[in-house]
Amino acid sequence: MAQRPQPRFPEPNTEPYWEATKQNELRYPVCTACETIIFTPRRHCTDCGSQDLEWKVSRGEGTVYTFSVVRQNRMPGFVDLGAYSVAYIDLDEGFRMLSGVIGIEDPTRDIHIGQRVRVEFEEQEEGEYPIPLFRPI
Amino acid sequence: MNQDRQAAIVGIHEYPSRLTRGVSAMDIKIDCIRTALEDAGLSWGDVDAVYDAGDGEAGGGLQLSAYLGLRPNVIDTTQVGGSSYEFQAAHAWRDIAAGKCKVAILSYGSTAASARWAIGTGSMQRPGAANWEANMEIPYGTTLIANYAMVKQRHMHEYGTTTEQLAGISVATRRHAMRNPDAVQAMTDLEFVGVNEITTADVLDSRVVADPLHLLECCMISDGGGAVVIASPEVARNTRKPPVWIIGSGEAIKYTESDGDITVSAGAQSGPVAFGEAGIAPDEIDIAMIYDSFTITVAVCLEDLGFCKKGEVGDYVAGGRLAFDNPDAPALNTDGGGLSSNHPGMRGIFLLLEATRQLRGESHSQRPDARLAVAHGNGGRLGSTHTGGTVILARD
């Protein structure tokens, strides 16, 4: 089982995002006044400054905007993972998030820009928050 | 060209060693400040403005000023990563022009190599940090190199740019490094596999650190530091070396946006402002000191500053075209850059140092009759939250 680092709390901007992962939901905040999506999540609208936000649930499908395959790292939780990918995913609802692509044989060969992907919640050995990652559809 | 002469770089020093052992970051800063003042022919007591990025013993301008034993009239603690020194030079220019001070010092010291600091392959955030960005980055395991690599990946996808083309940046920079004795010593001390000129094939054959960035597209991690003295025209008239005038500057930041273009950097905002103030065009520039954390950083910034169109940088840099001895193009990073001379974490100050050497005629890879230079710093992480600081410099 994977053991990626967990998010840390208290951190009020991203807590609703991470709490939702426990229900395997990918949530994102939207401004009720001007409908701007605020991602990376914060507690104010980055377009109009309103603090009246609503958390919506994404369908979890999107497209790889860009990616890299990490072949060398010195980070706890990743050192033993072998080559793994990180990627920006453009979700169909219109927000871009940092994540990674999993469920492929060789990340150096099997990921491409424009690839359609769906979210998957990876349970971790320790810690209560599963990590949202993406698998090719 | 902007003919106002309001502030000039009058003193510089670069710490020669890249593997210091037993010397502190503050020791490096103090040594560099003292030597840069000597270079200018000024004294300790002449300093009335201190700019600091908090690299010595934290605390920024307050702690450094107290340690120096100075009571400056201007204290500026701008910390925006590697471009801090372009921002600070712009602020010193502004503060001197406003009559707030006459002699400003910028300084940098770091022992990143001795401390074995994993800048590129460790976490992008401090371990244990809880903030809105760290919580959305740390669980995904993005190294700093992977962050920049994602820019290169997208640039290759959109514009057909190749590693073979971008290798031209590494090739030209290494050529310059081999002419700089401090850079040669740096590569020796830091145990580079080959302390020699490199070819495009060498770059392609070097191992991939984070796709699609190869090892020879990545900067080193070294110790080092430097200092810059910036002074008013009255002071500059009596300094030891010819003044190098600041004639334009621009500052900007950029971050991930849902509809953003990752191949465009903050330089697209800071560059035009700086060139506009200077009243010159990029094709008039003799010396391009562009922050080379990675080949892709240089590539994107060259485009954003207007040296070539977006998407055309591959041809612009291919084959080591931006060498000091090619009069058809600006000379790029003639000290050997972060790729092959030094990168202690925040390289911005070295851009100002080598630009000044070129405009004084003191470089090891001197462009004949160099008149105009740009120093463009990129701080933070090119693929997400980052800065662009552009400074245009001119000799008399």
Side-chain angles (χ1 to χ4, degrees):
Chain A
M1 203 185 246
Q3 187 48 65
R4 288 166 174 255
Q6 291 276 294
R8 310 251 313 194
F9 301 102
E11 204 300 291
N13 295 288
T14 57
E15 194 158 4
Y17 170 89
W18 285 108
E19 284 300 316
T21 64
K22 293 180 187 169
Q23 282 80 50
N24 285 5
E25 284 178 353
L26 187 68
R27 284 189 176 259
Y28 61 101
V30 181
C31 176
T32 53
C34 73
E35 297 185 349
T36 298
I37 299 177
I38 300 100
F39 214 93
T40 302
R42 274 150 283 177
R43 286 172 293 162
H44 64 277
C45 174
T46 50
D47 202 49
C48 74
S50 166
Q51 293 181 305
D52 193 4
L53 310 183
E54 176 191 2
W55 284 80
K56 293 190 173 175
V57 181
S58 165
R59 285 184 59 239
E61 291 185 9
T63 306
V64 175
Y65 173 69
T66 187
F67 69 98
S68 176
V69 181
V70 180
R71 308 228 197 154
Q72 185 184 336
N73 81 85
R74 287 167 60 177
M75 291 185 292
F78 294 93
V79 175
D80 301 326
L81 212 53
Y84 64 92
S85 76
V86 294
Y88 277 114
I89 308 296
D90 283 343
L91 277 298
D92 291 350
E93 289 84 1
F95 67 97
R96 180 172 298 165
M97 67 175 278
L98 182 67
S99 183
V101 179
I102 55 166
I104 43 182
E105 209 168 290
D106 179 358
T108 66
R109 219 187 45 211
D110 302 336
I111 306 173
H112 59 265
I113 289 173
Q115 195 167 24
R116 291 289 295 165
V117 289
R118 182 182 294 129
V119 74
E120 186 172 304
F121 294 85
E122 187 187 74
E123 295 293 333
Q124 305 298 310
E125 209 166 311
E126 279 173 44
E128 54 187 327
Y129 299 99
I131 311 291
L133 296 163
F134 289 81
R135 185 185 288 268
I137 297 174
Chain B
M1 198 203 308
N2 177 0
Q3 295 300 326
D4 284 347
R5 295 291 177 263
Q6 296 174 314
I9 295 177
V10 296
I12 55 170
H13 183 66
E14 178 171 337
Y15 201 74
S17 176
R18 322 296 203 232
L19 192 62
T20 55
R21 298 205 192 287
V23 172
S24 75
M26 198 61 125
D27 292 337
I28 294 173
K29 286 166 77 80
I30 303 306
D31 188 65
C32 290
I33 291 169
R34 189 180 50 75
T35 317
L37 284 167
E38 266 174 34
D39 181 56
L42 294 168
S43 60
W44 202 256
D46 292 325
V47 176
D48 62 358
V50 171
Y51 299 74
D52 189 63
D55 47 293
E57 292 174 356
L62 167 61
Q63 206 58 36
L64 179 63
S65 300
Y67 188 76
L68 291 168
L70 296 173
R71 290 193 193 169
N73 298 319
V74 172
I75 300 100
D76 179 307
T77 307
T78 300
Q79 160 53 277
V80 285
S83 65
S84 295
Y85 303 94
E86 281 65 46
F87 280 61
Q88 291 176 4
H91 300 173
W93 178 37
R94 189 172 74 193
D95 295 340
I96 291 169
K100 294 284 188 187
C101 53
K102 292 186 174 65
V103 177
I105 52 168
L106 284 55
S107 65
Y108 177 44
S110 164
T111 56
S114 298
R116 302 199 59 76
W117 184 19
I119 298 171
T121 56
S123 174
M124 290 199 302
Q125 304 272 0
R126 274 181 299 113
N131 71 52
W132 62 285
E133 279 192 309
N135 261 6
M136 302 300 285
E137 287 177 350
I138 288 178
Y140 301 107
T142 312
T143 59
L144 181 140
I145 298 181
N147 176 285
Y148 283 74
M150 287 196 283
V151 179
K152 185 183 171 196
Q153 187 85 264
R154 186 75 199 183
H155 203 283
M156 292 168 78
H157 173 80
E158 288 215 13
Y159 302 110
T161 313
T162 64
T163 299
E164 192 167 6
Q165 291 173 322
L166 296 188
I169 293 167
S170 308
V171 168
T173 309
R174 179 64 68 85
R175 262 192 81 198
H176 299 153
M178 292 308 296
R179 302 169 56 85
N180 174 356
D182 287 347
V184 170
Q185 190 62 48
M187 291 186 281
T188 307
D189 288 348
L190 295 168
E191 298 176 0
F192 271 41
V193 171
V195 182
N196 44 250
E197 291 198 7
I198 55 174
T199 63
T200 297
D202 290 332
V203 178
L204 289 167
D205 290 343
S206 66
R207 74 171 193 275
V208 174
V209 180
D211 298 70
L213 278 176
H214 293 248
L215 181 66
L216 290 179
E217 296 183 88
C218 303
C219 66
M220 66 171 79
I221 299 173
S222 69
D223 295 347
V228 174
V229 183
I230 301 175
S232 67
E234 302 75 52
V235 173
R237 260 195 290 276
N238 299 308
T239 48
R240 211 170 264 163
K241 301 277 182 67
V244 170
W245 301 99
I246 301 175
I247 62 166
S249 74
E251 306 173 26
I253 65 161
K254 195 167 176 281
Y255 40 82
T256 305
E257 291 177 288
S258 289
D259 56 354
D261 181 349
I262 202 170
T263 69
V264 177
S265 76
Q269 184 179 337
S270 67
V273 173
F275 279 104
E277 278 183 1
I280 63 163
D283 64 9
E284 296 178 70
I285 289 285
D286 302 297
I287 307 300
M289 292 302 302
I290 312 288
Y291 201 112
D292 61 337
S293 40
F294 304 94
T295 51
I296 188 62
T297 321
V298 177
V300 161
C301 292
L302 283 170
E303 290 175 339
D304 292 339
L305 294 178
F307 284 97
C308 60
K309 287 199 185 111
K310 181 56 69 183
E312 296 182 1
V313 75
D315 281 341
Y316 189 73
V317 301
R321 187 171 164 267
L322 305 190
F324 77 106
D325 55 356
N326 174 13
D328 297 332
L332 174 73
N333 297 340
T334 48
D335 59 341
L339 292 171
S340 293
S341 178
N342 60 358
H343 193 292
M346 298 194 292
R347 186 157 212 281
I349 200 160
F350 305 115
L351 309 175
L352 298 169
L353 295 178
E354 176 65 6
T356 300
R357 284 191 287 256
Q358 282 283 356
L359 299 184
R360 286 175 171 183
E362 294 177 351
S363 175
H364 292 291
S365 295
Q366 184 64 43
R367 169 64 57 99
D369 201 34
R371 292 171 51 250
L372 289 167
V374 61
H376 179 75
N378 184 89
R381 295 153 292 161
L382 188 66
S384 50
T385 305
H386 70 269
T387 59
T390 313
V391 174
I392 314 280
L393 298 164
R395 72 166 206 213
D396 270 324

